[in-house]
């Protein structure tokens, strides 16, 4: 590969803006006044944690965005997401919200799916090397992430629009510029711009080198590719800011140094805080505690409950981090909470805002129906629930399809669903009050099922044996 041709950009402007198709037209919108104070506002909310380089972020970085309000072109900001799984999770949400806040302020944002970098594995924050993923698995994950990012962007656009002109949201994949690269040409052209001492000094590298497993060349090379991603986006999209989790600071620094050496231009990095569990562990796939944003892996109800269960000492911070609610409104919500803490108003608002962003209005409605059905024993909620919602709500429940024969009794139903043992023991479980249908206790085994009572309008019955064993029955030929 020949040495890359450089395109220099003056501070505060660039030549094109990405569209949803990923193609860059030559005309862009001007950033509107919402950009004024954007960095300070998000810093105050706790969303923006660190700025790099420190010497430039007190003046140059704010000026970069404030210049957009004075009539220059909007800026471009990117964040990368490696497809190591087929879904994003809650740990990714803050970086996405950071992109959305820039977009809302009139700037253009890029969500970069890292199909190439996922093959290497990011060592940041890890004690051992990731399990290697084959190319087909990465491609499948990348397709799923691409769709998930576009869904989140669409929900944001449709349900949280504030009436101002926004910047664009573009999803790209870094395999587009690596699949034709040849290793020797790549290293000969660019390798001389990276200094081994600097790369070795990164905290993520130092931690791994001192670990029992050490660090492979594959992992070590990860920061070089991420630096080149930043450079490529700077060249072709005028991207001057990289956003990432606080564990990405070393990779961001590598990108800054690489671009500055090649072009003499300054670029910047912004980090968002990492979300941890109550034990302090980072939320994610590797830690085994991921709350996924894909409905097939974590239902809207489960996502809703995750945020609904947040403690009082963290809910105000989460409202600032995970929602677009203005600070005065959050303050008002918290004041009401002091008067009526038992209503859990902040938790309900937090859960609703996040679920709506991730799963849309229908997903939020589904989460609320499931909550009513499970925790408030609502028959009305059960009657309008779909088969999918019932399966999501009662994941461990057995699902049966039965034909309703004339005279079918409670005992017949329990036995056909394999919910009780045969013989006298199963009979006694009913007479002793251990069985309920649609949240109503039944004690007469010989009772004939009644449509509208034992069988809901949607043709379903929820059978509960004991305290935790659920069976879902779908009646056929009603």
């Amino acid at each position: 590969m020949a040495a890359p041709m450089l395109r220099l950009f003056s501070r505060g402007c660039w030549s094109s803006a990405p569209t949803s198709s990923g193609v860059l037209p030559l005309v862009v919108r001007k950033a509107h006044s919402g950009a004024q104070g954007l960095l300070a506002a998000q810093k105050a909310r706790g969303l923006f944690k660190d700025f790099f380089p420190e010497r430039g972020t007190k003046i140059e970085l704010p000026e970069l965005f404030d210049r957009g309000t004075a009539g220059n072109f909007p800026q471009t900001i990117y964040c990368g997401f490696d497809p190591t799984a087929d879904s994003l999770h809650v740990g990714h949400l803050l970086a996405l919200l950071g992109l959305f806040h820039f977009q809302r302020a009139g700037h253009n944002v890029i969500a970069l799916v890292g199909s190439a970098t996922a093959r290497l594995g990011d060592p940041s924050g890890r004690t051992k090397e990731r399990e290697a993923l084959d190319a087909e698995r990465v491609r499948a994950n990348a397709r799923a992430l691409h769709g998930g990012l576009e869904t989140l962007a669409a929900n944001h656009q449709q349900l949280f629009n504030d009436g101002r002109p926004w910047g664009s949201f573009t999803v790209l994949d870094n395999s587009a510029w690596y699949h034709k690269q040849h290793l020797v040409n790549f290293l000969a052209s660019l390798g001389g711009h990276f200094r081994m001492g600097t790369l070795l000094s990164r905290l993520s590298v130092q931690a791994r080198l001192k670990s029992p497993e050490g660090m492979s060349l594959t992992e070590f090379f990860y920061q070089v590719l991420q630096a080149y991603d930043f450079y490529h986006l700077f060249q072709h999209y005028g991207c001057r800011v990289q956003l990432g989790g606080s564990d990405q600071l070393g990779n961001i620094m590598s990108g800054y140094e690489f671009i500055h050496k090649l072009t003499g231009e300054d670029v910047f990095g912004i980090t968002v805080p990492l979300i941890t569990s109550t034990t302090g562990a980072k939320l994610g796939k590797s830690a085994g505690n991921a709350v996924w944003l894909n409905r097939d892996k974590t239902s809207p109800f489960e996502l809703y409950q995750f945020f609904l269960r947040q403690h009082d000492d963290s809910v105000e911070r989460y409202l600032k981090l995970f929602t677009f609610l203005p600070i005065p409104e959050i303050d008002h919500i918290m004041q009401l909470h002091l008067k009526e803490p038992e209503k859990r108003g902040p938790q309900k608002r937090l859960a609703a805002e996040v679920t709506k962003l991730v799963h849309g209005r229908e997903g939020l409605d589904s989460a609320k129906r499931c909550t009513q059905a499970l925790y408030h024993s609502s028959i009305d909620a059960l009657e309008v629930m779909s088969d999918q919602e019932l399966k999501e709500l009662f994941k461990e429940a057995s699902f049966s399809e039965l034909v309703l024969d004339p005279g079918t009794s409670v005992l017949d139903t329990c036995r056909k669903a394999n919910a009780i043992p045969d013989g006298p023991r199963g009979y006694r479980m009913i007479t002793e009050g251990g069985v309920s249908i649609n949240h109503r206790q039944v004690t007469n085994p010989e009772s004939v099922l009644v449509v509208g009572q034992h069988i809901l309008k949607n043709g379903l019955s929820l059978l509960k044996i004991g305290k935790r064993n659920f069976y879902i029955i779908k009646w056929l030929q009603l």
Side-chain angles (χ1 to χ4, degrees):
M1 184 185 79
M5 183 178 295
L6 306 183
R7 291 166 53 196
L8 300 183
F9 299 85
S10 62
R11 292 179 186 267
C13 66
W14 50 285
S15 61
S16 52
T19 66
S20 59
S21 65
V23 178
L24 300 183
L26 295 178
V27 179
V28 294
R29 292 191 299 270
K30 294 180 179 179
H32 54 70
S33 58
Q36 185 69 37
L38 169 66
L39 301 181
Q42 297 314 315
K43 180 77 172 176
R45 291 180 79 101
L47 183 59
F48 291 168
K49 186 173 184 286
D50 299 307
F51 299 93
F52 180 85
E54 187 176 353
R55 62 170 176 78
T57 51
K58 292 183 179 179
I59 299 175
E60 286 90 341
L61 185 58
E63 186 181 71
L64 196 67
F65 289 102
D66 290 345
R67 280 188 175 188
T69 68
N72 286 333
F73 291 118
Q75 297 302 313
T76 302
I77 302 92
Y78 99 94
C79 182
F81 304 90
D82 280 353
T84 54
D86 59 0
S87 172
L88 299 170
H89 53 73
V90 165
H92 294 115
L93 263 182
L94 290 191
L96 274 168
L97 281 158
L99 290 181
F100 287 151
H101 278 291
F102 279 114
Q103 183 190 12
R104 296 166 73 85
H107 299 286
N108 302 292
V109 299
I110 297 172
L112 181 65
V113 178
S115 290
T117 39
R119 297 290 306 279
L120 274 62
D122 185 0
S124 303
R126 296 182 57 84
T127 58
K128 61 182 180 179
E129 191 167 0
R130 291 180 185 273
E131 182 181 347
L133 299 174
D134 61 68
E136 183 50 45
R137 175 75 177 278
V138 170
R139 282 193 291 268
N141 288 349
R143 287 192 295 270
L145 252 62
H146 195 287
L149 287 164
E150 289 190 332
T151 296
L152 281 158
N155 289 342
H156 175 227
Q157 181 72 39
Q158 294 166 8
L159 302 175
F160 295 89
N161 201 304
D162 55 10
R164 302 179 300 172
W166 288 3
S168 61
F169 186 101
T170 303
V171 183
L172 299 176
D173 193 314
N174 65 7
S175 64
W177 49 87
Y178 285 116
H179 76 283
K180 292 182 180 179
Q181 296 276 12
H182 297 286
L183 176 62
V184 173
N185 290 340
F186 183 81
L187 288 175
S189 175
L190 302 172
H193 298 285
F194 293 92
R195 307 262 54 90
M196 286 298 298
T198 304
L199 296 178
L200 287 167
S201 70
R202 305 296 184 218
L203 291 178
S204 59
V205 174
Q206 285 291 311
R208 289 302 304 280
L209 289 175
K210 294 175 182 177
S211 69
E213 286 201 5
M215 186 179 201
S216 70
L217 176 62
T218 304
E219 289 183 297
F220 182 72
F221 204 64
Y222 183 94
Q223 61 180 308
V224 174
L225 262 62
Q226 184 164 326
Y228 184 78
D229 286 342
F230 198 176
Y231 169 72
H232 179 90
L233 295 174
F234 173 77
Q235 266 196 308
H236 298 281
Y237 294 78
C239 179
R240 303 181 67 88
V241 180
Q242 181 182 172
L243 190 70
S246 57
D247 59 346
Q248 293 297 305
L249 187 58
N251 294 329
I252 294 172
M253 291 165 65
S254 294
Y256 162 81
E257 290 162 358
F258 180 52
I259 293 170
H260 191 68
K261 281 183 179 180
L262 283 174
T263 70
E265 290 286 304
D266 282 332
V267 293
F268 303 91
I270 300 174
T271 68
V272 297
L274 297 178
I275 297 301
T276 59
S277 67
T278 52
T279 62
K282 175 183 172 183
L283 289 181
K285 176 175 69 71
S286 302
N289 58 3
V291 179
W292 301 98
L293 306 188
N294 183 320
R295 183 169 188 161
D296 294 335
K297 298 169 80 73
T298 298
S299 70
F301 165 75
E302 290 171 311
L303 180 70
Y304 183 87
Q305 289 298 319
F306 172 79
F307 284 98
L308 190 64
R309 291 193 297 268
Q310 294 304 314
H311 298 300
D312 283 355
D313 57 3
S314 62
V315 68
E316 181 177 5
R317 174 173 176 256
Y318 276 21
L319 281 168
K320 293 175 180 177
L321 291 175
F322 285 103
T323 79
F324 302 110
L325 299 177
I327 295 296
E329 185 173 352
I330 293 174
D331 291 341
H332 179 65
I333 291 171
M334 296 309 299
Q335 288 170 7
L336 294 177
H337 182 58
L338 290 174
K339 298 176 182 177
E340 298 177 303
E342 70 282 358
K343 290 188 175 181
R344 296 182 64 78
Q347 285 87 347
K348 290 178 181 177
R349 187 63 183 276
L350 170 67
E353 292 292 311
V354 176
T355 306
K356 185 168 64 171
L357 175 64
V358 175
H359 293 294
R361 200 175 300 280
E362 189 280 328
L364 175 58
D365 291 342
S366 173
K368 288 182 175 179
R369 280 194 297 272
C370 290
T371 299
Q372 287 296 315
L374 183 63
Y375 294 119
H376 302 283
S377 301
S378 171
I379 301 300
D380 291 339
L382 275 176
E383 285 191 316
V384 295
M385 288 176 69
S386 65
D387 294 1
Q388 180 188 21
E389 288 174 337
L390 278 168
K391 289 178 182 178
E392 289 174 346
L393 183 58
F394 304 101
K395 278 190 172 181
E396 305 303 320
S398 171
F399 189 88
S400 305
E401 292 185 335
L402 302 178
V403 175
L404 183 65
D405 296 321
T408 297
S409 68
V410 170
L411 182 63
D412 296 333
T413 303
C414 292
R415 285 179 173 166
K416 286 180 180 180
N418 295 315
I420 60 172
D422 292 332
R425 183 177 166 220
Y427 196 92
R428 285 197 306 272
M429 288 176 69
I430 301 174
T431 59
E432 292 173 359
V435 175
S436 65
I437 299 178
N438 301 331
H439 296 311
R440 291 175 177 151
Q441 190 179 66
V442 289
T443 55
N444 183 358
E446 309 300 334
S447 295
V448 175
L449 297 190
V450 177
V451 176
Q453 178 181 341
H454 303 107
I455 302 172
L456 302 175
K457 289 184 291 186
N458 53 5
L460 297 171
S461 297
L462 179 65
L463 181 63
K464 182 181 177 184
I465 309 296
K467 293 183 177 181
R468 294 185 177 86
N469 298 314
F470 290 94
Y471 299 80
I472 300 168
I473 300 169
K474 183 176 178 64
W475 295 100
L476 304 177
Q477 301 176 1
L478 287 178

